[in-house]
């Protein structure tokens, strides 16, 4: 019984943390790019339901497109889906094994989206170093970080308050 209670408490804490994890990023996206109406998330959706819900909650009024990927073999299909659905921005999910920060899938996604003039945003400094245009969250120490080079490729502006990497 204690183990069930302990596991339930851990799951609830994880949900609570995920619920606020994307709030600041959502505000930064709305502030930097007010015309963003559709946001896409590319991840293993079964393993990141909490993050998907948190992103949806942090970006009210925006349409959320979830592209499910289970492995690297799905990245081509994901890009095809994104190409046909035309998101205004893509949010990386930290810790996703397929398209999360630091993965080859994220690098592939960031490059292709920037070339298509679609910025990628994330919650970690690692993602911004990898090519996400904006990053804000626990993984940035609460600082708004920006990658000006990729912003130029994607054709978007970065907030003056952002620290450039």
């Amino acid at each position: 019984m204690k183990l069930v209670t302990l596991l339930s408490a851990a799951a609830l804490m994880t949900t609570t943390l995920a619920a606020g994890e994307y709030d600041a990023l959502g505000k930064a996206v709305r502030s930097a790019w007010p015309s963003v109406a559709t946001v896409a998330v590319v991840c293993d959706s079964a393993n990141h339901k909490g993050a998907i819900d948190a992103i949806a909650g942090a970006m009210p009024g925006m349409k959320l497109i979830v592209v499910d990927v289970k492995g690297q073999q799905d990245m081509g299909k994901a890009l095809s889906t994104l190409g046909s659905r035309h998101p205004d921005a893509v949010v990386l999910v930290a810790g996703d094994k397929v398209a999360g920060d630091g993965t080859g899938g994220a690098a592939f996604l960031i490059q292709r989206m920037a070339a298509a003039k679609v910025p990628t945003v994330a919650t970690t400094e690692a993602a911004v170093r990898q090519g996400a245009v904006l990053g804000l969250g626990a993984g940035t120490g609460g600082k708004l970080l920006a990658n000006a080079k990729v912003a130029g490729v994607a054709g978007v502006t970065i907030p003056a308050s952002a620290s450039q990497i």
Side-chain angles (χ1 to χ4, degrees):
M1 181 66 168
K2 287 183 182 180
L3 180 59
V4 171
T5 303
L6 181 61
L7 291 175
S8 297
L12 287 173
M13 285 176 55
T14 302
T15 302
T16 302
L17 292 174
E21 183 177 4
Y22 293 92
D23 290 344
L25 183 63
K27 288 176 186 171
V29 168
R30 281 192 303 277
S31 175
W33 311 313
S35 63
V36 170
T38 304
V39 176
V41 177
V42 178
C43 67
D44 180 349
S45 62
N47 288 326
H48 296 289
K49 178 148 178 34
I52 293 167
D53 291 343
I55 292 166
M59 300 185 181
M62 294 183 196
K63 180 179 177 183
L64 183 65
I65 300 168
V66 177
V67 181
D68 187 38
V69 291
K70 300 295 183 197
Q72 294 297 322
Q73 72 279 0
D74 297 331
M75 291 306 293
K77 188 170 81 172
L79 282 175
S80 176
T81 299
L82 292 172
S84 66
R85 303 286 302 275
H86 307 288
D88 299 311
V90 174
V91 180
L92 296 179
V93 175
D96 184 71
K97 292 182 181 183
V98 182
D101 308 354
T103 66
F108 181 76
L109 184 64
I110 289 166
Q111 291 171 356
R112 298 316 185 284
M113 291 292 93
K117 305 295 185 203
V118 177
T120 304
V121 299
T123 59
T124 68
E125 180 176 344
V128 177
R129 291 195 181 282
Q130 189 175 17
V133 174
L134 292 179
L136 180 59
T140 68
K143 296 177 190 171
L144 178 60
L145 303 178
N147 188 317
K149 181 179 177 182
V150 181
V153 173
V156 294
T157 59
I158 57 172
S161 62
S163 299
Q164 295 186 32
I165 291 184

